Amino acid sequence: PANRGRLSSVERWTLEPDSVSLDPTDLAVVLFAAKVAAHTDRITENDVESLRAHGLADEQIFDIALAAAASCFFADAADSATG
């Protein structure tokens, strides 16, 4: 989908996490959201457990996944509307 092109900097963070000025929890959230956006079918229990290990509750993890999915939906809808 069109959203994959928007993830290039996030994917770079995956490969070079030390180059990011985010704290470890924020980085984990961003990387999880990016995975939801690009590869929803590849989300595993390990992805969720990683966020739990950073102190996030299941409700927060669900909100992150929902926000990432909604962002993709509206971005795709806007892309479709503009041609």
Side-chain angles (χ1 to χ4, degrees), residues 13 17-18 20-32 47 50-56 64:
W13 293 350
D18 294 337
V20 180
S21 61
L22 296 174
D23 70 46
T25 300
D26 289 340
L27 179 59
V29 167
V30 168
L31 295 176
F32 176 77
D47 297 313
S50 172
L51 292 176
R52 287 179 183 143
H54 284 281
L56 277 76
I64 294 162

Side-chain angles (χ1 to χ4, degrees), residues 2-80:
N3 291 323
R4 289 194 181 148
R6 297 183 187 121
L7 300 176
S8 60
S9 62
V10 174
E11 289 170 341
R12 192 168 47 248
W13 293 350
T14 303
L15 300 173
E16 303 169 3
D18 294 337
S19 69
V20 180
S21 61
L22 296 174
D23 70 46
T25 300
D26 289 340
L27 179 59
V29 167
V30 168
L31 295 176
F32 176 77
K35 188 171 182 181
V36 169
H39 306 291
T40 305
D41 59 323
R42 296 183 192 167
I43 299 298
T44 67
E45 186 64 25
N46 288 337
D47 297 313
V48 175
E49 282 299 326
S50 172
L51 292 176
R52 287 179 183 143
H54 284 281
L56 277 76
D58 288 346
E59 294 82 10
Q60 293 169 303
I61 297 167
F62 180 72
D63 287 346
I64 294 162
L66 218 57
S71 177
C72 288
F73 172 79
F74 289 114
D76 286 346
D79 288 346
S80 296

